[in-house]
């Protein structure tokens, strides 16, 4: 059984091109073997299963525009190309995590456009890319045949949290500060727990656990949770570490967007709840316990931003004007408070629409 596959960086020269994983790529691209050899000193994202079989491979390349080998050409000065992308991992969320790496790379390099060329037969990959905002842009014709070109545009907005991911739109939506205990926070937002000054770059290198994915499920019971609605923006607030002062160990770490907020009572039975909660950090045993508490709410959300700099409770109060007396479990914030948090957290300007 596949367990916790990890995305890691590797050199081309350290990968065996003769494994069956590459057969389809060799058949589809006559130049694949020579191309692979020329890239020997470059890095690529890979994933192996428990038996050390290659199950994931993705090569990303920053190109200087205009890109003229596709039609129509792409004229931006700097674009990100998904050069080769293949996954063989049934029953996992690995594709989401690879797509997150694509977006992390684009954000880290202030890139507005990402494109990928893919043969029409790869329907599952195309469907997955389109779910996160890639649209059919054009075509690329070579001796290997006709490939479709799909483009992710970080500029144009669709008013859809998945198509626009990872951009956060706060124009007409409520903003909340949501408190999460440290033991749950580390499991749910692993890359937000990394102690570095640049989370985006670290996300590209580290794949802490499979919990490092786009979709999240959080279950809790706090006063006011019934007010949280679809498209609302949530700032994740990790509460104080055991034995430490909340003033400096409670920190804002991440920004999410709500997809759905459901009461436990809205589920017909435990099986429906378990299926819905498959992205959660809880085991099946823990989920059954949570299902028994009819005061719980289940929030499904996208994980859009890990703050470059985590903001302590002290700075939230002194620099972002958060009310010291307000309930830190769930607190509604103003747009100005949120904007200040983004500034303090080092969030890229292009990621937030005010």
């Amino acid at each position: 059984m596949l367990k916790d596959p990890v995305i890691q960086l590797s050199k081309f020269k350290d990968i065996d091109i003769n494994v069956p994983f590459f057969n389809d790529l060799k058949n589809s691209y006559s130049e694949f073997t020579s191309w692979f050899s020329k890239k020997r000193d470059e890095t690529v994202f890979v994933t192996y299963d428990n038996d050390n079989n290659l199950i994931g491979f993705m090569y990303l390349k920053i190109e200087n525009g205009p890109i003229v080998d596709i039609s129509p050409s792409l004229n931006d000065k700097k674009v990100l190309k998904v050069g080769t992308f293949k996954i063989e991992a049934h029953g996992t969320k690995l594709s989401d995590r690879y797509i997150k790496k694509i977006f992390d790379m684009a954000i880290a390099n202030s890139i507005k456009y990402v494109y990928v060329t893919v043969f029409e037969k790869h329907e599952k990959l195309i469907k997955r890319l389109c779910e996160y905002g890639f649209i059919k842009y054009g075509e690329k014709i070579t001796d290997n045949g006709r490939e479709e070109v799909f483009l992710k545009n970080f500029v144009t907005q669709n008013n859809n949290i998945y198509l626009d991911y990872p951009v956060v739109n706060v124009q007409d939506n409520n903003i909340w500060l949501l408190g999460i205990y440290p033991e749950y926070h580390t499991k749910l937002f692993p890359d937000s727990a990394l102690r570095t000054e640049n989370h985006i770059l670290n996300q590209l290198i580290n794949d802490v656990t499979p919990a490092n994915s786009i979709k999240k499920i959080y279950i809790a019971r706090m006063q006011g949770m019934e007010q949280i609605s679809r498209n609302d923006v949530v700032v994740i607030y990790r509460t104080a570490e055991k034995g430490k002062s909340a003033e400096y160990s409670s920190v804002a770490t991440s920004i999410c967007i709500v997809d759905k907020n459901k009461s436990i009572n809205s589920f017909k039975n435990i099986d429906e709840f378990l299926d819905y909660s498959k992205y959660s950090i809880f085991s099946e045993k823990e989920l059954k316990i949570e299902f028994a508490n009819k005061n719980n709410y289940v929030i499904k959300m996208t994980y859009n931003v890990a703050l470059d700099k985590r903001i302590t409770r002290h700075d939230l109060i002194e620099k972002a004007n958060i009310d010291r007396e307000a309930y830190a479990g769930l607190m509604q914030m103003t747009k100005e408070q949120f904007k200040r948090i983004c500034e303090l957290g080092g969030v890229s300007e292009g990621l937030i629409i005010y």
Side-chain angles (χ1 to χ4, degrees):
M1 179 180 177
L2 185 63
K3 182 180 179 181
D4 294 355
V6 174
I7 301 173
Q8 56 188 292
L9 277 176
S10 177
K11 296 284 188 180
F12 274 81
K13 62 184 177 183
D14 296 324
I15 302 169
D16 184 4
I17 194 177
N18 297 311
V19 297
F21 178 89
F22 291 113
N23 287 348
D24 179 63
L25 290 167
K26 291 177 184 177
N27 293 332
S28 297
Y29 301 97
S30 59
E31 73 282 5
F32 184 77
T33 300
S34 60
W35 172 83
F36 196 98
S37 178
K38 291 176 183 177
K39 299 291 183 184
R40 59 177 281 106
D41 291 319
E42 294 191 39
T43 56
V44 62
F45 291 103
V46 295
T47 299
Y48 294 89
D49 66 15
N50 290 342
D51 297 319
N52 206 35
N53 297 310
L54 187 64
I55 59 171
F57 182 95
M58 183 174 71
Y59 173 64
L60 301 178
K61 181 184 179 183
I62 296 175
E63 297 183 330
N64 295 318
I67 310 301
V68 297
D69 61 346
I70 62 175
S71 179
S73 60
L74 189 56
N75 296 318
D76 207 64
K77 293 181 180 179
K78 185 169 67 170
V79 299
L80 181 64
K81 179 181 181 181
V82 184
T84 305
F85 185 15
K86 182 182 178 183
I87 293 174
E88 288 182 356
H90 303 291
T92 75
K93 307 300 182 296
L94 193 58
S95 59
D96 273 13
R97 289 159 53 211
Y98 266 94
I99 290 172
K100 189 172 186 296
K101 293 291 185 186
I102 296 172
F103 296 154
D104 289 342
M105 173 71 87
I107 293 166
N109 291 278
S110 300
I111 290 173
K112 298 178 181 177
Y113 299 96
V114 180
Y115 79 99
V116 57
T117 62
V118 59
F119 287 108
E120 189 176 12
K121 64 180 181 180
H122 297 297
E123 295 178 1
K124 289 184 179 179
L125 175 58
I126 291 173
K127 182 179 179 181
R128 209 62 171 159
L129 291 169
C130 291
E131 181 181 348
Y132 290 107
F134 282 85
I135 61 171
K136 188 174 179 180
Y137 174 77
E139 63 180 12
K140 179 178 181 179
I141 299 176
T142 67
D143 292 339
N144 297 309
R146 177 185 175 277
E147 292 180 87
E148 295 183 326
V149 178
F150 287 85
L151 181 73
K152 170 70 174 183
N153 179 347
F154 289 93
V155 179
T156 303
Q157 293 300 296
N158 302 280
N159 294 317
N160 179 292
I161 64 173
Y162 292 106
L163 297 181
D164 294 336
Y165 182 89
V167 174
V168 176
N169 189 333
V170 298
Q171 288 182 327
D172 299 311
N173 305 310
N174 293 323
I175 308 166
W176 305 91
L177 188 74
L178 176 64
I180 297 181
Y181 290 132
E183 59 268 30
Y184 297 128
H185 179 274
T186 300
K187 293 179 182 178
L188 195 58
F189 302 98
D191 56 345
S192 290
L194 295 173
R195 297 182 179 278
T196 80
E197 284 302 307
N198 194 322
H199 291 290
I200 294 175
L201 293 178
N202 213 315
Q203 284 168 231
L204 289 169
I205 299 170
N206 294 278
D207 190 58
V208 186
T209 73
N212 190 3
S213 60
I214 293 173
K215 298 174 183 175
K216 303 289 183 182
I217 289 282
Y218 185 63
I219 304 169
R221 50 190 177 276
M222 286 183 284
Q223 182 180 351
M225 286 194 70
E226 72 281 356
Q227 301 177 56
I228 298 176
S229 303
R230 179 175 172 81
N231 296 323
D232 281 359
V233 178
V234 175
V235 176
I236 301 299
Y237 175 73
R238 193 204 66 192
T239 57
E241 296 176 3
K242 188 176 181 179
K244 294 186 178 181
S245 166
E247 193 77 2
Y248 294 99
S249 70
S250 295
V251 287
T253 67
S254 318
I255 300 172
C256 300
I257 300 181
V258 176
D259 181 3
K260 295 178 182 178
N261 181 25
K262 299 183 67 172
S263 165
I264 285 287
N265 295 306
S266 67
F267 295 95
K268 296 178 182 178
N269 51 53
I270 184 65
D271 291 332
E272 183 181 63
F273 171 67
L274 290 175
D275 181 65
Y276 185 85
S277 304
K278 58 189 176 183
Y279 286 93
S280 80
I281 59 172
F282 299 104
S283 67
E284 182 172 319
K285 181 180 179 180
E286 290 171 324
L287 286 172
K288 288 180 178 178
I289 294 173
E290 295 297 332
F291 184 73
N293 191 319
K294 300 307 179 181
N295 293 319
N296 274 333
Y297 281 84
V298 186
I299 301 178
K300 180 181 288 186
M301 53 191 172
T302 56
Y303 179 24
N304 293 61
V305 180
L307 301 182
D308 276 0
K309 298 177 182 178
R310 296 181 300 177
I311 310 168
T312 64
R313 172 176 167 80
H314 176 271
D315 285 350
L316 286 171
I317 294 168
E318 298 298 328
K319 298 180 180 180
N321 298 317
I322 299 297
D323 183 1
R324 181 178 288 278
E325 304 304 320
Y327 174 52
L330 182 65
M331 177 197 315
Q332 189 166 359
M333 296 190 299
T334 67
K335 190 180 295 185
E336 286 304 314
Q337 289 170 327
F338 176 76
K339 187 173 183 179
R340 187 61 180 139
I341 286 173
C342 290
E343 292 170 352
L344 292 169
V347 178
S348 300
E349 289 186 4
L351 277 178
I352 311 293
I353 297 177
Y354 295 105

